[in-house]
Amino acid sequence: MTSPTTTTKRVLLAAPRGYCAGVDRAVIAVEKALDHYGAPVYVRKEIVHNKYVVETLAARGAVFVEETDEVPEGARVVFSAHGVSPAVHASAAARSLQTIDATCPLVTKVHKEAVRFASDDMDILLIGHTGHEEVEGTAGEAPEHIQVVNSPEDVPGIVVRDPEKVVWLSQTTLSVDETMETVRRLRERFPKLQDPPSDDICYATQNRQVAVKKLAPECDVVIVVGSANSSNSVRLVEVALDAGATASYRVDTAAEIEEAWLDGAATVGVTSGASVPEILVRDVLDRLARSGFGDVQEVRTATEDLMFSLPKELRADLKAAGTPVPRPERGARQSLSVEPA
Ligand code: SF4
C-alpha cells in the first residue's frame, strides 16, 4: 500500500492488459463475416465475454443466440472463442448451418488433450467453473471421462475409477495460484496424478495476472475493466487483492467508478481482462484524470506478439472472393477494434 504521507496521485497501468490473441481473432472474425456476407450473422453465445464488444457487434448486425436451434435453418453461425462441444457441432450440422468456428486455438488444444486422455481411458479432472461455456465445451468432448473440479474444496469428494489413471486439465482463464493449490490437493489424494502436456491456463491469463501482481502491492485500489461473466477479469480482482491491493473493483465502463473508491487514495492500479478493448481502458484513465489521477505510469512485465489467423472457413471464403485479409498490427488493433458502427 502507498505510504499515507504520499500526496502525489498516480495511476499504475498494467501491461500486458486487454485483448489477447484469441479474442482479437474472434472479434475480427465476426467483423469480417459481417463485411463479407452481410447482416445478419448469427453468433452462438457472446463471441467474447464483454458487454461493449457484444453490443457494438450487435449494432452492426450480429445476432447473438444461446443455442443453434435459434438460428434459421441453413444460416451462418459463428461459434464463440470459448469453444463448443461435439454435440453443438452435430446440432449445427443437423440444421445445415454454415459454421465459422472462432474457438481460440488455445482452447482447442485443451479439447484435443481431453480427447487423447479419454481415448487412453483415463479419468480427467477438469479444473474450472461449472456452467462456464469453455468448461461445457471441453467436458462435452468426453463426458464419460471428465469431472469438473471447481475449487480446492471439491477435492475430498472426487471419486475416480482407477487412481493410477488420472490426469488434470484446466480452463484457460483461471487463477494460476488457486489452480496450483487445487492440483496440490489432488496430488495428495492421487499421487500418480498426471499433468497436462503443457500449461492449459493460457499465456494471456498468466501475463495479466503477473502484471497485476507486480503493481497491486503499491496500490490503494486496483480497477479491473471487464464484464462480470469474464472469468479472467474476475480473477484479476482476486489476484490484485491477494497480492496486496487495499481494494479492487471490476467495472464494465468508466461510468461505474465511484468517487468514494478514490477518497484518500494515492495510487490507483488499472488493468483489463483479455476480452476488453483498449478504448474502455482509455475512458477509465480519462475518468481518473478528472479526479486528479493524471500521472499514468505503465508497469510492464511481458511483451506479447502472438496472433492467430482467422477461422479456416472464413479465410477460404475471403480468399475465394479475392478479398485480402491483412493481419492487423496488434497495437493498432487494440484501439481501433469494435468502434461503434
Ligand atoms: Fe485464448 Fe487465452 Fe484469450 Fe481465452 S484468454 S481466448 S484461451 S488467448
Side-chain angles (χ1 to χ4, degrees):
M1 187 175 32
T2 311
S3 156
T5 57
T6 305
T7 50
T8 309
K9 291 180 173 180
R10 63 173 181 164
V11 170
L12 296 181
L13 179 61
R17 62 180 177 278
Y19 268 23
C20 61
V23 163
D24 207 20
R25 169 185 188 256
V27 173
I28 298 172
V30 177
E31 290 174 333
K32 290 282 176 201
L34 284 165
D35 290 346
H36 184 69
Y37 307 111
V41 168
Y42 292 86
V43 182
R44 181 185 177 274
K45 308 281 188 188
E46 294 190 351
I47 183 72
V48 299
H49 284 157
N50 185 266
K51 206 167 159 229
Y52 174 88
V53 172
V54 168
E55 286 173 357
T56 306
L57 291 173
R60 290 187 53 183
V63 177
F64 292 90
V65 298
E66 279 303 299
E67 286 306 337
T68 47
D69 58 11
E70 296 166 53
V71 181
E73 198 121 347
R76 184 167 279 102
V77 64
V78 182
F79 292 147
S80 77
H82 309 100
V84 296
S85 68
V88 173
H89 281 289
S91 96
R95 296 176 61 72
S96 306
L97 303 184
Q98 302 173 68
T99 58
I100 296 173
D101 189 354
T103 302
C104 176
L106 300 182
V107 174
T108 302
K109 177 188 80 96
V110 183
H111 282 224
K112 287 181 176 163
E113 289 168 359
V115 170
R116 177 159 76 79
F117 288 117
S119 73
D120 291 341
D121 198 28
M122 299 189 70
D123 276 15
I124 300 165
L125 305 177
L126 176 61
I127 303 173
H129 298 126
T130 301
H132 188 280
E133 285 145 51
E134 183 188 322
V135 169
E136 287 179 353
T138 306
E141 291 286 356
E144 300 82 25
H145 290 82
I146 294 181
Q147 50 188 309
V148 179
V149 183
N150 281 276
S151 69
E153 287 69 46
D154 276 5
V155 172
I158 292 169
V159 177
V160 298
R161 293 169 303 157
D162 178 355
E164 304 277 311
K165 292 185 72 177
V166 187
V167 62
W168 71 275
L169 301 178
S170 87
Q171 190 178 331
T172 56
T173 51
L174 300 181
S175 150
V176 174
D177 294 340
E178 184 179 309
T179 303
M180 287 307 111
E181 174 59 15
T182 305
V183 172
R184 189 188 65 73
R185 293 202 202 175
L186 285 171
R187 188 157 278 123
E188 271 176 13
R189 280 208 57 204
F190 309 112
K192 294 285 177 63
L193 180 73
Q194 281 191 36
D195 295 319
S198 60
D199 280 349
D200 287 341
I201 298 179
C202 76
Y203 81 97
T205 300
Q206 298 197 33
N207 285 348
R208 280 147 193 71
Q209 290 177 15
V210 169
V212 87
K213 264 187 192 174
K214 173 102 187 240
L215 60 77
E218 295 186 58
C219 293
D220 300 295
V221 55
V222 172
I223 294 174
V224 177
V225 189
S227 289
N229 60 346
S230 162
S231 171
N232 78 88
S233 300
V234 174
R235 299 291 83 74
L236 286 172
V237 172
E238 297 167 359
V239 169
L241 291 171
D242 285 349
T246 311
S248 183
Y249 303 97
R250 181 202 56 74
V251 297
D252 259 301
T253 65
E256 293 173 17
I257 295 174
E258 295 179 19
E259 196 59 38
W261 300 348
L262 309 176
D263 282 350
T267 302
V268 177
V270 173
T271 188
S272 56
S275 47
V276 177
E278 186 66 2
I279 188 171
L280 299 181
V281 176
R282 294 287 144 202
D283 287 349
V284 164
L285 295 179
D286 289 347
R287 162 68 184 81
L288 291 173
R290 290 198 292 278
S291 292
F293 293 87
D295 173 20
V296 179
Q297 300 165 21
E298 188 174 79
V299 176
R300 177 170 292 282
T301 51
T303 300
E304 296 175 346
D305 55 9
L306 182 67
M307 298 194 76
F308 297 127
S309 54
L310 287 176
K312 61 180 186 309
E313 310 87 348
L314 183 57
R315 254 186 295 138
D317 284 355
L318 293 175
K319 196 171 164 201
T323 308
V325 189
R327 299 198 79 188
E329 191 272 317
R330 168 156 291 283
R333 181 71 205 159
Q334 288 248 352
S335 54
L336 289 175
S337 72
V338 293
E339 299 286 9

